[in-house]
Amino acid sequence: MIDLTIVWAFIIAFAVAAYVVMDGFDLGIGILFPTFRVGKERDQAMNAIAPVWDGNETWLVLGGGGLLAAFPLAYAIILPALYAPLTAMLLGLIFRGVAFEFRYRSTRMRPVWDLGFFLGSLVAAFVQGAAIGTMVQELTVIDGHFAGGPFEWVTPFSVLCGIGLVLGYALLGAAWLVLKTEGDLRDWAYRRLHWLLAGVIVVLIALFAYALSTQLRVLDRWRDDPRLLVLPLLGAVAMVGLWLGVRWRRDGIPFTMAILAVVCAFATLGASFWPYMIPYSVTVQQAAAPPQSLEFLFWGAGIVVFPVVLIYTAFVYWIFRGKVTTGAPRY
């Protein structure tokens, strides 16, 4: 007998991880956007993500919708706890999408839309990191309800997490440009990768020091089960591989290693939280919808929607594989 609670936890975790990786690199390009030269460089960067950026956000919808349907208690706790950052994230994504489409349609207003593309990407990335940091620090939950204040998500740790994710997304974006572009923009991305990697490492060290000083409970999980340390160690190996890929000038290695590092970081969080859906107060089983609801959802979303999204995403990336040249058409 298949435990549909576990199946749905896997589907949501996969959707969130896919969103972080796929939308991460195009948010990263938005964060880096003001540093590109006006004209061909900015157009080339846009063309590098134009075929896939809106499809990448499908995974956010799938993850959020799946959480509401399959784990309503978790959704009811997370939403009021993170209402402000989630609202800011959605506004950032909306404004970023509008700016992406409109910058090609107005030469006079293009500087405004370029700024909007940057600010929307920056805000969305920062508040996502802050939300993750808030979850790691634990939400105040009493009798299955969020009992904290509206600014519980604003802490030194969550701010550091926000900065770390901004740098991480920028790293993914630069690695994507190395993979997909040629000429000056590719060379520019290569030169920035070492600095972005160093910034990510510095923030990770600061977060670990803060966690030690405040005795976050997540560290107790690592002490109780040292096997969890395999995941961050694998992430460290991926960072070394990224550095070597930049040094060897192998275009495919930096992005591959950046993805591996992000997946390891996400897996570390998931393994540290398991079996809790809301660390460390509500388990996956407690947060789950009734079995009948999970079964009904599984035949629709689990069997149809999830595979279709996976297939068309893979198909789009396959169709638009290869390099984007300076004179590539605008999509």
Side-chain angles (χ1 to χ4, degrees), residues 19 42 50-51 61 65 67 101 107 116 128-130 134 155 163 168 208 268 302:
Y19 171 77
R42 293 191 175 186
V61 177
L67 183 68
E101 298 293 340
T107 303
Q128 286 175 21
T134 304
T155 66
I163 295 171
F208 185 69
T268 299

Side-chain angles (χ1 to χ4, degrees), residues 285-324:
Q285 298 292 340
Q286 291 171 339
Q292 297 86 347
S293 299
L294 293 178
E295 184 176 358
F296 176 78
L297 290 168
F298 179 74
W299 290 109
I303 297 296
V304 178
V305 176
F306 178 70
V308 167
V309 173
L310 192 61
I311 291 169
Y312 84 62
T313 299
F315 181 73
V316 168
Y317 276 87
W318 173 256
I319 289 295
F320 291 100
R321 66 191 183 279
K323 295 281 189 178
V324 175

